[in-house]
Amino acid sequence: MNEKGQSWPEAMLSLVIIMVIFSSLLPLATSITSSVTAKKQTMIAAQTIYQAAILYKSLGQTTGYRSHEELHYNWTVSNGQICVSYEIQQIENQKCVSL
């Protein structure tokens, strides 16, 4: 080791530590972000069901849609249920609640 700065092994050790941190934290952050996004979309679907129930009880409306952040939530009332269909990452999801 010299007095002029870092040595080559110290630099490599620092690089390895940084690579380990980023290779483990970035995938974790990505999965957490996608999980939170999915939960947010499910919450918006629940809000859409609530609004659909209000429209059904007050106006008798049996179908409709809601757009939120460029996502479309289509709802229908049939057989005593309100169902909302929406798409998460190109996968069609449906949430139903009994009246």
Side-chain angles (χ1 to χ4, degrees):
M1 191 160 134
N2 59 18
E3 300 283 329
K4 295 180 182 177
Q6 289 186 338
S7 66
W8 186 81
E10 290 172 333
M12 288 298 110
L13 180 62
S14 298
L15 182 62
V16 167
I17 290 171
I18 289 172
M19 285 176 49
V20 167
I21 289 172
F22 280 105
S23 65
S24 63
L25 291 180
L26 286 179
L28 179 65
T30 303
S31 67
I32 289 173
T33 302
S34 63
S35 172
V36 168
T37 302
K39 287 179 183 180
K40 179 181 175 185
Q41 291 171 346
T42 303
M43 180 200 64
I44 294 168
Q47 288 176 343
T48 303
I49 288 174
Y50 176 71
Q51 291 173 351
I54 291 172
L55 290 172
Y56 176 69
K57 292 290 185 178
S58 64
L59 302 175
Q61 188 174 349
T62 58
T63 60
Y65 73 95
R66 174 184 182 193
S67 295
H68 185 269
E69 294 180 357
E70 299 180 8
L71 293 174
H72 301 291
Y73 298 85
N74 298 316
W75 61 270
T76 59
V77 178
S78 63
N79 299 327
Q81 285 189 334
I82 300 175
C83 294
V84 174
S85 60
Y86 57 100
E87 195 173 288
I88 297 177
Q89 296 175 354
Q90 300 173 348
I91 298 173
E92 186 74 24
N93 291 312
Q94 188 169 5
K95 182 175 180 73
C96 295
V97 174
S98 298
L99 285 174

